[in-house]
Amino acid sequence: ILNSSNTYLEANSCIDYISPSGKYLWNKDGVYMDTLLGVEGCDSILTIDLRIHHPTYATHHITACKSFNSYSKNQTWAKSGVYKDTVVSSMGCDSFLNIDLTINNADVDIIYIKNQLIARSKSGFYQWMECVSHGQKSKIVGANDRLFLPPKNGAYALALSDNGCSDTSECYYLF
């Protein structure tokens, strides 16, 4: 005489769970019973301690410089706006995210007027630099104003920190 077997198992699922026999669909936490036919023709009784998890929904307010990589790593956004992203939670269920994104930039555009270089940005911390060679830039001590009067012909750039962001302009050549 062969005996039936009893098995206890813990299961986690998102939204709902199909029993191992395929006869039941459960969508609430609980302890459930299911029966399978064993290889020797006897019942295999399953006790299933089930935990149902649900998708989560959240809004994230993000401020970034230049661009932001989505949490899922599937997108990069370079403009302020509201975006949607989906990631898998620690429980294996979807997390649906609204990303309220603000993109800041340090505006390093330079205006040239009568032998003067003027930072287009009216705010931030200014640092004028001399382009020395092969893309290398050297800080000019004391050149921290929006307006810069170059002391000689050469190539100059602006490093600017503003809105929590930092950037450096290309070199501008003056002769």
Side-chain angles (χ1 to χ4, degrees):
I1 296 177
L2 301 171
N3 293 321
S4 62
S5 65
N6 291 303
T7 304
Y8 173 84
L9 88 108
E10 293 180 357
N12 290 289
S13 185
C14 296
I15 304 173
D16 53 29
Y17 178 81
I18 298 173
S19 68
S21 68
K23 295 177 188 174
Y24 307 103
L25 178 68
W26 300 310
N27 58 16
K28 293 181 183 174
D29 290 353
V31 177
Y32 298 94
M33 305 293 284
D34 194 17
T35 304
L36 298 173
L37 187 61
V39 278
E40 296 175 341
C42 297
D43 286 343
S44 179
I45 300 167
L46 301 174
T47 302
I48 303 162
D49 187 356
L50 178 62
R51 297 288 172 255
I52 296 292
H53 304 283
H54 300 280
T56 57
Y57 301 86
T59 297
H60 292 231
H61 301 279
I62 306 287
T63 300
C65 293
K66 294 184 183 179
S67 66
F68 178 75
N69 290 324
S70 64
Y71 293 112
S72 65
K73 306 293 185 219
N74 292 331
Q75 303 206 31
T76 299
W77 301 302
K79 292 183 180 179
S80 296
V82 178
Y83 300 94
K84 297 197 179 300
D85 196 17
T86 304
V87 295
V88 176
S89 73
S90 60
M91 300 310 292
C93 300
D94 285 339
S95 289
F96 300 101
L97 306 174
N98 282 323
I99 310 295
D100 182 5
L101 180 63
T102 301
I103 296 293
N104 289 331
N105 290 297
D107 182 358
V108 292
D109 285 346
I110 296 174
I111 302 165
Y112 175 75
I113 299 175
K114 297 183 182 177
N115 295 326
Q116 298 177 45
L117 297 176
I118 303 168
R120 185 168 78 175
S121 176
K122 294 180 181 176
S123 63
F125 176 78
Y126 309 96
Q127 176 62 65
W128 291 95
M129 307 176 84
E130 184 174 11
C131 301
V132 286
S133 68
H134 305 293
Q136 298 295 314
K137 297 172 180 132
S138 175
K139 291 181 181 179
I140 301 171
V141 176
N144 304 106
D145 295 321
R146 182 174 175 228
L147 173 71
F148 175 63
L149 180 59
K152 61 183 181 180
N153 290 339
Y156 299 93
L158 171 66
L160 178 68
S161 294
D162 193 20
N163 293 319
C165 301
S166 296
D167 201 357
T168 303
S169 72
E170 296 294 321
C171 293
Y172 287 78
Y173 296 89
L174 303 175
F175 298 100

